[in-house]
Amino acid sequence: MVKIMVTGATGLLGRAVVRELQANSNNQIIACGYSRAKAGVHKLDLTQSASVMAFVDTQRPDVIVHCAAERRPDVSEKNPAAALALNAEATRSLASVASQSGAWLLYISTDYVFDGTAPRYAENALTHPVNFYGDSKRQGEVIITGAKQDFAVLRLPILYGEVETVQESAVTVLLNHLLDTTEQNIDDWAVRSPTSTADIAVAIAQMILAKTAGTTLSGYYHFSASNTMSKYQMLLIMGELLGLSTQHLNPVTSPTDSAKRPHDCTLSCEKLASLSIQSKVPFEVGIERALALSPNVMSIFK
């Protein structure tokens, strides 16, 4: 039996990870959340170091998958202290207690640790974030790799999946532009690789299986879908899937966001590919599946 603690278990990625890991009867899942903690989820404030230490000491997990994060660049820019508290300092507490207990820690990071000027980024590429969100996650990475343990960092691009509201994902929130049929300018400058959380969850489960079987997994890893596209291009695909017009959307080929974004952070995923861990879900298939599993969202279009 492998005891696996998942932080951010009530979030977009965390829910998918818990669901995938629970499908293996050899796993015992310790799901942790905070603001949306409910039955079956331990309420744990990751910014309270003493509570984190005591919880891990009591539960004694073999693996910790650290999904919890402040993932919104604009929010991070406006409240950097809160972003650091979750993305860096909470990571420091987990790394410390995992080092003491012998648990393997997998830290979920972002392609935004790169500046977007030289894709495709290899796992050993130099980081140079252009916004505070990226920098806060980079600080978390430094904590993980500085722990002198065989911990791992998994960098991911923009995510979508089964959502409770469109706001949960930077991809599904774009659906609001389809509902509002007034003329709108949409970013057609920044290049992203929208990736399914269900696909990522399978990769994380495979990483844990490999680790528990004796494979050395430490340092930096990348996982990403192969599709690359702008927000405008994502909307064209989602509009076609939903039978909604995109004629009111105007592509803008210059930056449009309030917090600075990198142009193209496309990731090279060679290290996981060498372990036969690769994305297999194209955006058109993954987003259709995710929307079908999100009744609260689909009800908006009826």
Side-chain angles (χ1 to χ4, degrees):
M1 184 68 68
V2 182
K3 294 182 70 175
I4 306 170
M5 174 179 168
V6 180
T7 72
T10 57
L12 177 67
L13 177 59
R15 294 196 305 268
V17 170
V18 167
R19 187 180 304 113
E20 180 64 31
L21 294 176
Q22 285 177 333
N24 184 339
S25 59
N26 192 49
N27 294 334
Q28 179 183 342
I29 309 306
I30 307 164
C32 300
Y34 185 61
S35 61
R36 291 185 286 180
K38 53 189 177 183
V41 177
H42 298 273
K43 187 167 186 175
L44 180 65
D45 185 349
L46 294 174
T47 67
Q48 300 300 310
S49 179
S51 298
V52 172
M53 297 282 189
F55 183 83
V56 176
D57 280 341
T58 300
Q59 297 292 332
R60 306 296 295 182
D62 302 299
V63 174
I64 300 173
V65 183
H66 185 21
C67 297
E70 174 48 72
R71 60 174 180 78
R72 298 164 294 180
D74 294 332
V75 173
S76 298
E77 212 74 26
K78 293 174 184 175
N79 193 347
L84 278 179
L86 194 52
N87 295 349
E89 294 309 315
T91 303
R92 191 183 308 280
S93 298
L94 286 168
S96 176
V97 72
S99 296
Q100 296 170 22
S101 68
W104 181 62
L105 177 56
L106 178 62
Y107 174 69
I108 305 302
S109 191
T110 174
D111 58 351
Y112 269 22
V113 297
F114 300 115
D115 61 15
T117 62
R120 306 172 57 96
Y121 287 93
E123 291 85 352
N124 63 352
L126 293 177
T127 57
H128 185 226
V130 300
N131 57 37
F132 193 82
Y133 163 65
D135 187 62
S136 68
K137 295 299 287 184
R138 181 195 61 81
Q139 291 185 51
E141 290 187 358
V142 171
I143 291 165
I144 292 296
T145 57
K148 308 302 181 185
Q149 305 291 328
D150 62 341
F151 298 156
V153 172
L154 179 62
R155 294 179 179 135
L156 304 172
I158 189 171
L159 308 182
Y160 67 88
E162 180 181 343
V163 293
E164 296 175 351
T165 66
V166 293
Q167 287 78 15
E168 270 201 300
S169 162
V171 175
T172 55
V173 74
L174 297 174
L175 293 170
N176 289 324
H177 296 294
L178 297 178
L179 293 170
D180 179 358
T181 57
T182 59
E183 187 174 3
Q184 299 168 62
N185 294 329
I186 305 296
D187 186 352
D188 196 28
W189 174 80
V191 178
R192 304 304 305 275
S193 301
T195 302
S196 160
T197 54
D199 202 17
I200 295 165
V202 171
I204 290 173
Q206 290 174 326
M207 291 179 75
I208 293 171
L209 280 174
K211 175 64 180 177
T212 54
T215 301
T216 299
L217 284 175
S218 62
Y220 298 103
Y221 295 87
H222 294 169
F223 186 84
S224 172
S226 58
N227 309 83
T228 58
M229 61 193 73
S230 66
K231 289 181 179 179
Y232 176 72
Q233 292 169 320
M234 293 181 211
L235 277 167
L236 294 182
I237 291 170
M238 290 190 287
E240 183 175 358
L241 284 173
L242 293 168
L244 297 172
S245 174
T246 56
Q247 294 299 308
H248 59 292
L249 305 178
N250 301 317
V252 178
T253 55
S254 57
T256 61
D257 293 294
S258 56
K260 189 176 181 181
R261 260 70 164 182
H263 172 57
D264 184 354
C265 287
T266 302
L267 300 171
S268 170
C269 305
E270 294 303 316
K271 284 180 69 176
L272 285 183
S274 70
L275 299 173
S276 299
I277 300 175
Q278 293 176 284
S279 174
K280 297 179 175 65
V281 182
F283 180 65
E284 294 86 346
V285 174
I287 192 63
E288 184 174 26
R289 189 179 302 159
L291 292 175
L293 294 171
S294 306
N296 290 345
V297 172
M298 292 306 294
S299 65
I300 299 172
F301 298 98
K302 294 179 179 178

